[in-house]
Amino acid sequence: MKRRSLLKTISLLPLFGGIAYKIKASPQMADVAKTDLFKELNIRTFINAAGTLTFMTGSLMRDDVLAAINSTSRQFCMLDDVQDAVGAAIAKMAHAEAATVTSGADSAMTLGLAGILTGTDMKKVGMLPHLEGTGLKSEVICQKAHSDAYNHAFKITGCTIILVETREDVEKAINEKTAMMHFLNYNTNLGKIKHEEWLELGKKFNIPTSIDIAADVPPVANLWKFNDMGFDLVFLSGGKAIRAPQSTGILMGRKNLIAAARLNAPPRAVNIGRGHKVNKEEIIGVYAALKSYLAMDHDKEWKQWETGIALIENAVKQIPGISTKVFVEPIGNQTPQLTVSWDDTQIKLTGAMLKNNLRMGTPSIEASFSGLPLFMGQATPPDPNATGKNQVTVTVWMMQPGEEKIVAERLREEFTKARSA
């Protein structure tokens, strides 16, 4: 273990107290660590030029996160003790009253709403998802423009989604069954009601408000922005920019609601969240990842991204028939991205052909799908060969050092070959 990783690992220990002791790794563990299991299992790996897409396994954990996971994998502790300590630490970092680690942002949505429905009444916890005849609230209000497939996480509790478009619609929709008002940050510009008015309506009618920011970091300030703004619950993915284990998420917000949500989650049974299990290593991995992410020089990182994008752009933009555009998404996942388009009368290539050529090359490269930075709310991952558009979008923020040069070389190679065909 590198000295820096060791020091970071040691810094985690006081959080949990107790006596630390070493358990040596077995020879078998060392052998496994040296084995290329992807090769053994014939699993294709690739350079990620697309971003933090779930079906592409999100992001890669940093060394200090892996060290934290490994260092806590050889001792037992109480799961609630880990959630208590890590939740308190996350809440402090994210300006929330309380927080808990969940099995993804989708899990945070289900457990957060469940907490609103049941409070701390264990009898009510056992009723979900069968709400009819219980007297429990059963409706979630959401703007039509903010409704996507991920809202199924709310339906698991037994609730139905009530769609609205205007302020007047919200005021008419609110009734004794209304449990929560939900906001999808990524679609902010598509809805007629913005954050502040949504919060104002929630306070006016005493309805808890939630916001999905699952993939909306960076910018780093989004970690605390919506807690500061006044949302009662905030849902965040752990396995994207933060680079915690992909299977994790963060539920943060009001202390009473987080406490109620945890009663609907493991290690308790006879609740809808029993299957939303997160192990101690994953929970501590989230803590280590978030701590590391906040300590980063984000301005320096941004300049590195810009340099990588410029390198790729410069490798292809002088080729006749090629046009390039660098852009940054307006909301969430704000990283430099490059779209490369071409004239198919000069370059005999389609977007699907190029992506397949990159995928089948050595090393394999996965690019984005026609400029879409996120796989938002579809039933299945998009078909990588479905698009015939003459464009490809790449981003460098999930690449490892030096991979931007490989992507630049491969793109130039493919375009040059197609131009001379």
Side-chain angles (χ1 to χ4, degrees):
M1 186 183 298
K2 293 181 179 179
R3 181 175 179 273
R4 181 176 298 177
S5 296
L6 177 61
L7 290 174
K8 288 183 177 180
T9 300
I10 292 173
S11 71
L12 298 177
L13 296 179
L15 181 66
F16 304 100
I19 300 173
Y21 54 91
K22 295 181 180 179
I23 296 180
K24 293 183 179 180
S26 68
Q28 291 82 359
M29 289 174 64
D31 289 341
V32 170
K34 295 176 182 178
T35 303
D36 186 342
L37 296 178
F38 285 125
K39 185 175 182 180
E40 179 180 317
L41 295 167
N42 196 30
I43 297 172
R44 178 178 66 95
T45 61
F46 52 83
I47 293 174
N48 184 350
T52 57
L53 297 160
T54 295
F55 66 96
M56 291 187 185
T57 59
S59 60
L60 299 179
M61 291 180 282
R62 296 185 177 87
D63 288 345
D64 54 347
V65 176
L66 292 171
I69 289 172
N70 288 332
S71 72
T72 53
S73 67
R74 300 169 192 169
Q75 298 177 60
F76 292 98
C77 61
M78 301 302 288
L79 194 61
D80 275 334
D81 289 347
V82 185
Q83 285 282 27
D84 288 344
V86 171
I90 291 174
K92 185 175 182 180
M93 289 187 275
H95 304 186
E97 288 183 12
T100 189
V101 176
T102 61
S103 58
D106 198 82
S107 170
M109 294 169 69
T110 297
L111 297 177
L113 175 56
I116 288 175
L117 296 175
T118 67
T120 56
D121 187 332
M122 288 304 297
K123 182 178 179 180
K124 293 179 180 178
V125 169
M127 293 177 180
L128 302 187
H130 306 292
L131 300 180
E132 189 175 352
T134 65
L136 298 180
K137 297 179 185 295
S138 59
E139 295 179 354
V140 174
I141 294 176
C142 178
Q143 293 186 70
K144 186 176 181 179
H146 291 205
S147 180
D148 66 4
Y150 297 117
N151 281 355
H152 190 270
F154 298 137
K155 296 178 183 179
I156 292 173
T157 67
C159 282
T160 56
I161 311 298
I162 307 300
L163 300 181
V164 297
E165 293 188 74
T166 66
R167 181 188 181 98
E168 291 71 26
D169 290 342
V170 175
E171 294 185 342
K172 290 178 181 177
I174 290 175
N175 61 68
E176 68 280 356
K177 296 181 180 180
T178 306
M180 187 175 75
M181 293 170 52
H182 180 62
F183 195 98
L184 177 59
N185 187 60
Y186 189 76
N187 284 7
T188 295
N189 293 339
L190 301 180
K192 295 180 180 180
I193 308 174
K194 307 308 179 187
H195 299 90
E196 293 78 5
E197 187 174 11
W198 195 255
L199 289 168
E200 184 259 311
L201 282 165
K203 290 178 181 177
K204 177 180 178 180
F205 292 97
N206 196 30
I207 305 294
T209 52
S210 66
I211 186 167
D212 178 355
I213 63 164
D216 296 347
V217 175
V220 63
N222 276 3
L223 286 170
W224 53 81
K225 175 181 177 179
F226 304 101
N227 290 313
D228 289 346
M229 195 177 287
F231 279 92
D232 297 292
L233 291 175
V234 178
F235 314 127
L236 175 66
S237 175
K240 298 187 183 298
I242 297 171
R243 292 173 64 175
Q246 191 196 1
S247 54
T248 62
I250 298 174
L251 171 62
M252 47 190 170
R254 303 300 177 200
K255 188 174 182 178
N256 64 315
L257 296 182
I258 302 302
R262 285 183 58 182
L263 294 181
N264 287 274
R268 281 144 290 281
V270 197
N271 57 30
I272 62 168
R274 175 64 180 181
H276 298 217
K277 193 177 292 184
V278 191
N279 64 35
K280 68 181 189 298
E281 294 85 2
E282 291 174 308
I283 297 169
I284 293 172
V286 172
Y287 166 72
L290 191 57
K291 184 179 177 183
S292 176
Y293 185 70
L294 289 174
M296 289 176 59
D297 185 336
H298 294 282
D299 290 335
K300 180 180 179 181
E301 184 181 47
W302 186 274
K303 291 177 182 177
Q304 291 172 340
W305 292 339
E306 287 184 325
T307 299
I309 287 291
L311 186 148
I312 297 172
E313 183 181 27
N314 290 335
V316 300
K317 70 178 182 180
Q318 299 304 325
I319 300 173
I322 292 285
S323 60
T324 60
K325 177 184 178 183
V326 178
F327 68 99
V328 177
E329 287 292 323
I331 300 176
N333 259 317
Q334 293 181 350
T335 63
Q337 299 183 59
L338 171 68
T339 293
V340 183
S341 305
W342 57 93
D343 180 353
D344 61 5
T345 64
Q346 299 184 58
I347 299 175
K348 305 301 182 180
L349 197 65
T350 66
M353 290 166 60
L354 175 60
K355 289 165 190 168
N356 187 64
N357 291 346
L358 293 174
R359 179 177 300 113
M360 301 307 294
T362 303
S364 179
I365 298 168
E366 287 289 343
S368 189
F369 294 84
S370 301
L372 292 176
L374 297 173
F375 158 42
M376 292 293 291
Q378 300 180 39
T380 57
D383 180 354
N385 298 311
T387 176
K389 292 183 179 179
N390 301 329
Q391 68 176 42
V392 66
T393 297
V394 297
T395 180
V396 301
W397 73 307
M398 283 296 117
M399 291 185 194
Q400 299 186 70
E403 289 183 341
E404 73 281 359
K405 297 177 183 178
I406 298 173
V407 172
E409 181 180 344
R410 287 287 293 115
L411 283 172
R412 183 173 181 82
E413 178 183 326
E414 289 296 330
F415 286 131
T416 301
K417 183 170 58 177
R419 179 171 170 75
S420 60

